[in-house]
Amino acid sequence: METFHDITSLCQYLGEKQIKGQSIGFVPTMGALHRGHLRLISESVKNNHLTVCSIFVNPTQFNNSEDLDKYPRPLERDLELLRLEGCDVAFIPDVSEMYSEERILSMSFGYLEEIMEGKFRPNHFKGVGLVVAKLFNIVRPHRAYFGRKDLQQFVLIRKLVEELNFQIELHAVDTVREDSGLAMSSRNVRLSEQERQQAMIFYRSLIKAKSMLKGGHAPAEVKSTIESDFEKQKNVSLEYFEIVDTETLLHISNISPSRSVSICTAGYVGKIRLIDNISLF
Ligand code: AMP
């Protein structure tokens, strides 16, 4: 596996591969890799000549400095996992390589950055949009792989690709879970054993909501039942629990089989923020 820290050498290396007609698959990450990330890498390895993974803890998408400072950064382990998975190129820029001090560009995603995650993490998606657009321009991949676990991020990046005419095929990869059902996340390593148990309420609630919706209960009733379940759980605070149209992420008030529905949630266990979603059908 080749490792690059600077943009110029990476572009030169990938440019030569592109001239030879090699397809490039790209997986952007913030590192602290787990089986969820590796599923994205293996999808890319299967479908492209060359797979590039970036590891960059992007400061502009954090709105909590403690979360940024405590974000795990086990770089040597990450590189070893990427090698084992068959990744060809790791791109590991530092912050000064990605951002100049004079930068003024900012991206806006309208209502998509105001709802769910956006409501609780102001400016988060401006940071995500900008860094992904920069990485797309640097790597110029044919295909890019993102997790469905971050559904809102995927919808937003699909907009970015459409509206900025990136010639990139986007692929959404299903959420990889621990045996308990807990969605894998780099932040899970910060959960104590007790918090891991408490964190189960997120997945359990998604499953409960799904079964209530399938049983004919209205979205508003389901939402309030789940919210009151959360109120009873110690050390857990719910930020949102929403039943939305999978394409637009807007609330829905009735379930109809003709539209795709997702149930999305996020909140804290102790000081650790978790996010998850499942689709209804
Ligand atoms: P992150 O390093 O958290 O920015 O995630 C990098 C990519 O991995 C994003 O596209 C995430 O949606 C995806 N990802 C994170 N966790 C999982 C998971 N448990 N299953 C599948 N994909 C995931």
mmCIF file of all heavy atoms in Angstrom, residues 31-66:
data_model
loop_
_atom_site.group_PDB
_atom_site.id
_atom_site.type_symbol
_atom_site.label_atom_id
_atom_site.label_comp_id
_atom_site.label_asym_id
_atom_site.label_seq_id
_atom_site.Cartn_x
_atom_site.Cartn_y
_atom_site.Cartn_z
ATOM 1 N N GLY A 31 -10.651 7.779 10.202
ATOM 2 C CA GLY A 31 -9.765 6.836 10.890
ATOM 3 C C GLY A 31 -10.436 6.168 12.073
ATOM 4 O O GLY A 31 -11.651 6.186 12.206
ATOM 5 N N ALA A 32 -9.591 5.569 12.954
ATOM 6 C CA ALA A 32 -10.080 4.692 14.030
ATOM 7 C C ALA A 32 -10.993 3.649 13.393
ATOM 8 O O ALA A 32 -12.165 3.498 13.746
ATOM 9 C CB ALA A 32 -10.798 5.487 15.126
ATOM 10 N N LEU A 33 -10.420 2.963 12.438
ATOM 11 C CA LEU A 33 -11.208 2.098 11.561
ATOM 12 C C LEU A 33 -11.775 0.882 12.296
ATOM 13 O O LEU A 33 -11.145 0.334 13.196
ATOM 14 C CB LEU A 33 -10.329 1.629 10.389
ATOM 15 C CG LEU A 33 -9.719 2.756 9.555
ATOM 16 C CD1 LEU A 33 -8.877 2.178 8.415
ATOM 17 C CD2 LEU A 33 -10.788 3.689 8.999
ATOM 18 N N HIS A 34 -12.977 0.494 11.878
ATOM 19 C CA HIS A 34 -13.632 -0.697 12.422
ATOM 20 C C HIS A 34 -14.232 -1.456 11.248
ATOM 21 O O HIS A 34 -14.060 -1.053 10.083
ATOM 22 C CB HIS A 34 -14.687 -0.298 13.458
ATOM 23 C CG HIS A 34 -15.626 0.770 12.983
ATOM 24 N ND1 HIS A 34 -16.529 0.572 11.960
ATOM 25 C CD2 HIS A 34 -15.783 2.067 13.360
ATOM 26 C CE1 HIS A 34 -17.219 1.666 11.747
ATOM 27 N NE2 HIS A 34 -16.782 2.603 12.577
ATOM 28 N N ARG A 35 -14.984 -2.512 11.558
ATOM 29 C CA ARG A 35 -15.502 -3.365 10.465
ATOM 30 C C ARG A 35 -16.458 -2.622 9.534
ATOM 31 O O ARG A 35 -16.609 -3.016 8.387
ATOM 32 C CB ARG A 35 -16.159 -4.624 11.046
ATOM 33 C CG ARG A 35 -15.113 -5.654 11.480
ATOM 34 C CD ARG A 35 -15.715 -7.029 11.677
ATOM 35 N NE ARG A 35 -16.543 -7.106 12.858
ATOM 36 C CZ ARG A 35 -17.869 -7.293 12.853
ATOM 37 N NH1 ARG A 35 -18.528 -7.432 11.728
ATOM 38 N NH2 ARG A 35 -18.537 -7.359 13.990
ATOM 39 N N GLY A 36 -17.098 -1.565 10.024
ATOM 40 C CA GLY A 36 -17.976 -0.761 9.157
ATOM 41 C C GLY A 36 -17.164 -0.115 8.035
ATOM 42 O O GLY A 36 -17.487 -0.229 6.851
ATOM 43 N N HIS A 37 -16.075 0.552 8.426
ATOM 44 C CA HIS A 37 -15.203 1.182 7.415
ATOM 45 C C HIS A 37 -14.661 0.116 6.458
ATOM 46 O O HIS A 37 -14.577 0.336 5.255
ATOM 47 C CB HIS A 37 -13.992 1.848 8.076
ATOM 48 C CG HIS A 37 -14.318 2.987 8.992
ATOM 49 N ND1 HIS A 37 -14.143 2.909 10.360
ATOM 50 C CD2 HIS A 37 -14.772 4.231 8.751
ATOM 51 C CE1 HIS A 37 -14.471 4.070 10.907
ATOM 52 N NE2 HIS A 37 -14.868 4.888 9.964
ATOM 53 N N LEU A 38 -14.279 -1.017 7.036
ATOM 54 C CA LEU A 38 -13.618 -2.048 6.211
ATOM 55 C C LEU A 38 -14.586 -2.645 5.194
ATOM 56 O O LEU A 38 -14.191 -3.068 4.115
ATOM 57 C CB LEU A 38 -12.983 -3.119 7.101
ATOM 58 C CG LEU A 38 -11.882 -2.554 8.022
ATOM 59 C CD1 LEU A 38 -11.311 -3.658 8.909
ATOM 60 C CD2 LEU A 38 -10.754 -1.872 7.242
ATOM 61 N N ARG A 39 -15.869 -2.629 5.516
ATOM 62 C CA ARG A 39 -16.875 -3.097 4.549
ATOM 63 C C ARG A 39 -16.874 -2.157 3.322
ATOM 64 O O ARG A 39 -17.002 -2.597 2.181
ATOM 65 C CB ARG A 39 -18.249 -3.111 5.227
ATOM 66 C CG ARG A 39 -19.419 -3.466 4.332
ATOM 67 C CD ARG A 39 -19.556 -4.959 4.071
ATOM 68 N NE ARG A 39 -19.725 -5.733 5.276
ATOM 69 C CZ ARG A 39 -20.891 -5.958 5.903
ATOM 70 N NH1 ARG A 39 -21.997 -5.425 5.438
ATOM 71 N NH2 ARG A 39 -20.940 -6.694 6.984
ATOM 72 N N LEU A 40 -16.736 -0.860 3.592
ATOM 73 C CA LEU A 40 -16.682 0.112 2.483
ATOM 74 C C LEU A 40 -15.436 -0.142 1.625
ATOM 75 O O LEU A 40 -15.489 -0.121 0.397
ATOM 76 C CB LEU A 40 -16.637 1.541 3.037
ATOM 77 C CG LEU A 40 -17.956 2.271 3.303
ATOM 78 C CD1 LEU A 40 -18.867 1.554 4.266
ATOM 79 C CD2 LEU A 40 -17.698 3.674 3.830
ATOM 80 N N ILE A 41 -14.326 -0.377 2.313
ATOM 81 C CA ILE A 41 -13.063 -0.626 1.588
ATOM 82 C C ILE A 41 -13.221 -1.888 0.735
ATOM 83 O O ILE A 41 -12.851 -1.898 -0.452
ATOM 84 C CB ILE A 41 -11.884 -0.829 2.571
ATOM 85 C CG1 ILE A 41 -11.668 0.427 3.431
ATOM 86 C CG2 ILE A 41 -10.610 -1.235 1.840
ATOM 87 C CD1 ILE A 41 -11.012 1.576 2.742
ATOM 88 N N SER A 42 -13.802 -2.934 1.306
ATOM 89 C CA SER A 42 -13.862 -4.187 0.543
ATOM 90 C C SER A 42 -14.814 -4.050 -0.646
ATOM 91 O O SER A 42 -14.562 -4.615 -1.704
ATOM 92 C CB SER A 42 -14.177 -5.389 1.433
ATOM 93 O OG SER A 42 -15.543 -5.516 1.591
ATOM 94 N N GLU A 43 -15.876 -3.259 -0.512
ATOM 95 C CA GLU A 43 -16.744 -2.988 -1.674
ATOM 96 C C GLU A 43 -15.956 -2.300 -2.777
ATOM 97 O O GLU A 43 -16.096 -2.615 -3.955
ATOM 98 C CB GLU A 43 -17.886 -2.036 -1.261
ATOM 99 C CG GLU A 43 -19.057 -2.718 -0.622
ATOM 100 C CD GLU A 43 -19.712 -3.733 -1.538
ATOM 101 O OE1 GLU A 43 -20.063 -3.374 -2.673
ATOM 102 O OE2 GLU A 43 -19.846 -4.901 -1.111
ATOM 103 N N SER A 44 -15.136 -1.345 -2.376
ATOM 104 C CA SER A 44 -14.345 -0.612 -3.367
ATOM 105 C C SER A 44 -13.298 -1.516 -4.014
ATOM 106 O O SER A 44 -13.115 -1.485 -5.231
ATOM 107 C CB SER A 44 -13.685 0.601 -2.703
ATOM 108 O OG SER A 44 -12.813 1.206 -3.614
ATOM 109 N N VAL A 45 -12.636 -2.321 -3.191
ATOM 110 C CA VAL A 45 -11.594 -3.218 -3.721
ATOM 111 C C VAL A 45 -12.200 -4.172 -4.764
ATOM 112 O O VAL A 45 -11.614 -4.424 -5.808
ATOM 113 C CB VAL A 45 -10.914 -4.001 -2.563
ATOM 114 C CG1 VAL A 45 -10.036 -5.133 -3.085
ATOM 115 C CG2 VAL A 45 -10.107 -3.049 -1.694
ATOM 116 N N LYS A 46 -13.418 -4.657 -4.473
ATOM 117 C CA LYS A 46 -14.084 -5.595 -5.392
ATOM 118 C C LYS A 46 -14.393 -4.955 -6.740
ATOM 119 O O LYS A 46 -14.414 -5.622 -7.757
ATOM 120 C CB LYS A 46 -15.434 -6.015 -4.768
ATOM 121 C CG LYS A 46 -15.455 -7.454 -4.254
ATOM 122 C CD LYS A 46 -16.869 -7.864 -3.875
ATOM 123 C CE LYS A 46 -17.246 -7.342 -2.504
ATOM 124 N NZ LYS A 46 -18.645 -7.391 -2.162
ATOM 125 N N ASN A 47 -14.683 -3.650 -6.732
ATOM 126 C CA ASN A 47 -15.266 -3.027 -7.931
ATOM 127 C C ASN A 47 -14.381 -2.016 -8.652
ATOM 128 O O ASN A 47 -14.845 -1.362 -9.585
ATOM 129 C CB ASN A 47 -16.591 -2.352 -7.549
ATOM 130 C CG ASN A 47 -17.623 -3.391 -7.122
ATOM 131 O OD1 ASN A 47 -18.005 -4.242 -7.916
ATOM 132 N ND2 ASN A 47 -18.001 -3.366 -5.864
ATOM 133 N N ASN A 48 -13.140 -1.868 -8.219
ATOM 134 C CA ASN A 48 -12.251 -0.881 -8.844
ATOM 135 C C ASN A 48 -10.841 -1.453 -8.974
ATOM 136 O O ASN A 48 -10.448 -2.332 -8.211
ATOM 137 C CB ASN A 48 -12.185 0.385 -7.975
ATOM 138 C CG ASN A 48 -13.557 1.037 -7.853
ATOM 139 O OD1 ASN A 48 -13.997 1.750 -8.746
ATOM 140 N ND2 ASN A 48 -14.247 0.769 -6.754
ATOM 141 N N HIS A 49 -10.070 -0.872 -9.894
ATOM 142 C CA HIS A 49 -8.673 -1.302 -10.008
ATOM 143 C C HIS A 49 -7.874 -0.859 -8.792
ATOM 144 O O HIS A 49 -6.970 -1.553 -8.333
ATOM 145 C CB HIS A 49 -8.028 -0.698 -11.264
ATOM 146 C CG HIS A 49 -8.610 -1.224 -12.540
ATOM 147 N ND1 HIS A 49 -9.373 -0.466 -13.393
ATOM 148 C CD2 HIS A 49 -8.541 -2.456 -13.096
ATOM 149 C CE1 HIS A 49 -9.753 -1.208 -14.418
ATOM 150 N NE2 HIS A 49 -9.269 -2.415 -14.257
ATOM 151 N N LEU A 50 -8.224 0.329 -8.317
ATOM 152 C CA LEU A 50 -7.416 0.942 -7.260
ATOM 153 C C LEU A 50 -8.347 1.524 -6.185
ATOM 154 O O LEU A 50 -9.316 2.196 -6.521
ATOM 155 C CB LEU A 50 -6.659 2.099 -7.918
ATOM 156 C CG LEU A 50 -5.376 2.550 -7.289
ATOM 157 C CD1 LEU A 50 -4.269 1.569 -7.661
ATOM 158 C CD2 LEU A 50 -5.012 3.937 -7.825
ATOM 159 N N THR A 51 -8.034 1.265 -4.926
ATOM 160 C CA THR A 51 -8.845 1.850 -3.845
ATOM 161 C C THR A 51 -8.011 2.838 -3.035
ATOM 162 O O THR A 51 -6.896 2.522 -2.612
ATOM 163 C CB THR A 51 -9.399 0.743 -2.921
ATOM 164 O OG1 THR A 51 -10.382 0.020 -3.662
ATOM 165 C CG2 THR A 51 -10.056 1.308 -1.673
ATOM 166 N N VAL A 52 -8.577 4.030 -2.864
ATOM 167 C CA VAL A 52 -7.923 5.073 -2.067
ATOM 168 C C VAL A 52 -8.763 5.290 -0.817
ATOM 169 O O VAL A 52 -9.980 5.465 -0.909
ATOM 170 C CB VAL A 52 -7.868 6.406 -2.846
ATOM 171 C CG1 VAL A 52 -7.202 7.495 -2.015
ATOM 172 C CG2 VAL A 52 -7.170 6.228 -4.184
ATOM 173 N N CYS A 53 -8.109 5.290 0.348
ATOM 174 C CA CYS A 53 -8.814 5.625 1.592
ATOM 175 C C CYS A 53 -8.151 6.861 2.191
ATOM 176 O O CYS A 53 -6.924 6.901 2.309
ATOM 177 C CB CYS A 53 -8.712 4.453 2.574
ATOM 178 S SG CYS A 53 -9.441 4.822 4.190
ATOM 179 N N SER A 54 -8.946 7.865 2.517
ATOM 180 C CA SER A 54 -8.356 9.016 3.215
ATOM 181 C C SER A 54 -8.652 8.885 4.706
ATOM 182 O O SER A 54 -9.727 8.398 5.099
ATOM 183 C CB SER A 54 -8.912 10.334 2.677
ATOM 184 O OG SER A 54 -10.301 10.390 2.864
ATOM 185 N N ILE A 55 -7.676 9.284 5.499
ATOM 186 C CA ILE A 55 -7.859 9.349 6.951
ATOM 187 C C ILE A 55 -7.580 10.785 7.339
ATOM 188 O O ILE A 55 -6.445 11.262 7.240
ATOM 189 C CB ILE A 55 -6.888 8.403 7.685
ATOM 190 C CG1 ILE A 55 -7.169 6.950 7.291
ATOM 191 C CG2 ILE A 55 -7.012 8.585 9.191
ATOM 192 C CD1 ILE A 55 -6.255 5.939 7.950
ATOM 193 N N PHE A 56 -8.643 11.496 7.713
ATOM 194 C CA PHE A 56 -8.474 12.912 8.038
ATOM 195 C C PHE A 56 -9.550 13.299 9.048
ATOM 196 O O PHE A 56 -10.742 13.258 8.734
ATOM 197 C CB PHE A 56 -8.607 13.758 6.765
ATOM 198 C CG PHE A 56 -8.458 15.235 7.009
ATOM 199 C CD1 PHE A 56 -7.294 15.752 7.580
ATOM 200 C CD2 PHE A 56 -9.484 16.121 6.672
ATOM 201 C CE1 PHE A 56 -7.160 17.119 7.819
ATOM 202 C CE2 PHE A 56 -9.350 17.494 6.911
ATOM 203 C CZ PHE A 56 -8.181 17.982 7.477
ATOM 204 N N VAL A 57 -9.132 13.612 10.256
ATOM 205 C CA VAL A 57 -10.088 14.076 11.267
ATOM 206 C C VAL A 57 -10.315 15.563 10.974
ATOM 207 O O VAL A 57 -9.479 16.407 11.293
ATOM 208 C CB VAL A 57 -9.556 13.833 12.699
ATOM 209 C CG1 VAL A 57 -10.608 14.252 13.724
ATOM 210 C CG2 VAL A 57 -9.204 12.357 12.898
ATOM 211 N N ASN A 58 -11.427 15.817 10.314
ATOM 212 C CA ASN A 58 -11.675 17.142 9.730
ATOM 213 C C ASN A 58 -12.182 18.127 10.791
ATOM 214 O O ASN A 58 -13.332 18.039 11.210
ATOM 215 C CB ASN A 58 -12.733 16.971 8.622
ATOM 216 C CG ASN A 58 -13.151 18.296 8.039
ATOM 217 O OD1 ASN A 58 -12.334 19.206 7.939
ATOM 218 N ND2 ASN A 58 -14.413 18.405 7.661
ATOM 219 N N PRO A 59 -11.347 19.089 11.197
ATOM 220 C CA PRO A 59 -11.764 19.962 12.309
ATOM 221 C C PRO A 59 -12.998 20.790 11.987
ATOM 222 O O PRO A 59 -13.764 21.105 12.893
ATOM 223 C CB PRO A 59 -10.545 20.876 12.521
ATOM 224 C CG PRO A 59 -9.709 20.742 11.303
ATOM 225 C CD PRO A 59 -10.021 19.424 10.668
ATOM 226 N N THR A 60 -13.220 21.115 10.698
ATOM 227 C CA THR A 60 -14.336 22.027 10.395
ATOM 228 C C THR A 60 -15.710 21.365 10.538
ATOM 229 O O THR A 60 -16.717 22.037 10.446
ATOM 230 C CB THR A 60 -14.218 22.616 8.967
ATOM 231 O OG1 THR A 60 -14.398 21.556 8.025
ATOM 232 C CG2 THR A 60 -12.880 23.273 8.725
ATOM 233 N N GLN A 61 -15.756 20.051 10.743
ATOM 234 C CA GLN A 61 -17.071 19.435 10.927
ATOM 235 C C GLN A 61 -17.386 19.120 12.392
ATOM 236 O O GLN A 61 -18.417 18.551 12.704
ATOM 237 C CB GLN A 61 -17.219 18.189 10.057
ATOM 238 C CG GLN A 61 -16.390 16.999 10.500
ATOM 239 C CD GLN A 61 -16.472 15.877 9.483
ATOM 240 O OE1 GLN A 61 -15.950 15.977 8.391
ATOM 241 N NE2 GLN A 61 -17.146 14.783 9.852
ATOM 242 N N PHE A 62 -16.461 19.502 13.291
ATOM 243 C CA PHE A 62 -16.699 19.292 14.731
ATOM 244 C C PHE A 62 -17.212 20.587 15.332
ATOM 245 O O PHE A 62 -16.639 21.647 15.097
ATOM 246 C CB PHE A 62 -15.399 18.895 15.432
ATOM 247 C CG PHE A 62 -15.025 17.458 15.217
ATOM 248 C CD1 PHE A 62 -14.398 17.068 14.036
ATOM 249 C CD2 PHE A 62 -15.282 16.490 16.179
ATOM 250 C CE1 PHE A 62 -14.048 15.743 13.813
ATOM 251 C CE2 PHE A 62 -14.940 15.159 15.966
ATOM 252 C CZ PHE A 62 -14.312 14.789 14.785
ATOM 253 N N ASN A 63 -18.272 20.486 16.124
ATOM 254 C CA ASN A 63 -18.704 21.701 16.802
ATOM 255 C C ASN A 63 -18.523 21.559 18.309
ATOM 256 O O ASN A 63 -18.994 22.365 19.078
ATOM 257 C CB ASN A 63 -20.155 22.061 16.437
ATOM 258 C CG ASN A 63 -21.063 20.871 16.556
ATOM 259 O OD1 ASN A 63 -20.599 19.744 16.558
ATOM 260 N ND2 ASN A 63 -22.345 21.106 16.688
ATOM 261 N N ASN A 64 -17.770 20.497 18.684
ATOM 262 C CA ASN A 64 -17.512 20.283 20.097
ATOM 263 C C ASN A 64 -16.014 19.981 20.205
ATOM 264 O O ASN A 64 -15.544 18.969 19.691
ATOM 265 C CB ASN A 64 -18.384 19.102 20.543
ATOM 266 C CG ASN A 64 -18.095 18.641 21.958
ATOM 267 O OD1 ASN A 64 -16.983 18.814 22.475
ATOM 268 N ND2 ASN A 64 -19.078 18.031 22.576
ATOM 269 N N SER A 65 -15.277 20.903 20.850
ATOM 270 C CA SER A 65 -13.819 20.774 20.812
ATOM 271 C C SER A 65 -13.340 19.555 21.598
ATOM 272 O O SER A 65 -12.321 18.948 21.273
ATOM 273 C CB SER A 65 -13.145 22.047 21.318
ATOM 274 O OG SER A 65 -13.595 22.290 22.614
ATOM 275 N N GLU A 66 -14.102 19.142 22.609
ATOM 276 C CA GLU A 66 -13.707 17.953 23.370
ATOM 277 C C GLU A 66 -13.830 16.703 22.488
ATOM 278 O O GLU A 66 -12.970 15.824 22.498
ATOM 279 C CB GLU A 66 -14.590 17.794 24.613
ATOM 280 C CG GLU A 66 -14.092 16.683 25.516
ATOM 281 C CD GLU A 66 -14.964 16.457 26.743
ATOM 282 O OE1 GLU A 66 -15.767 17.334 27.102
ATOM 283 O OE2 GLU A 66 -14.838 15.366 27.336
#
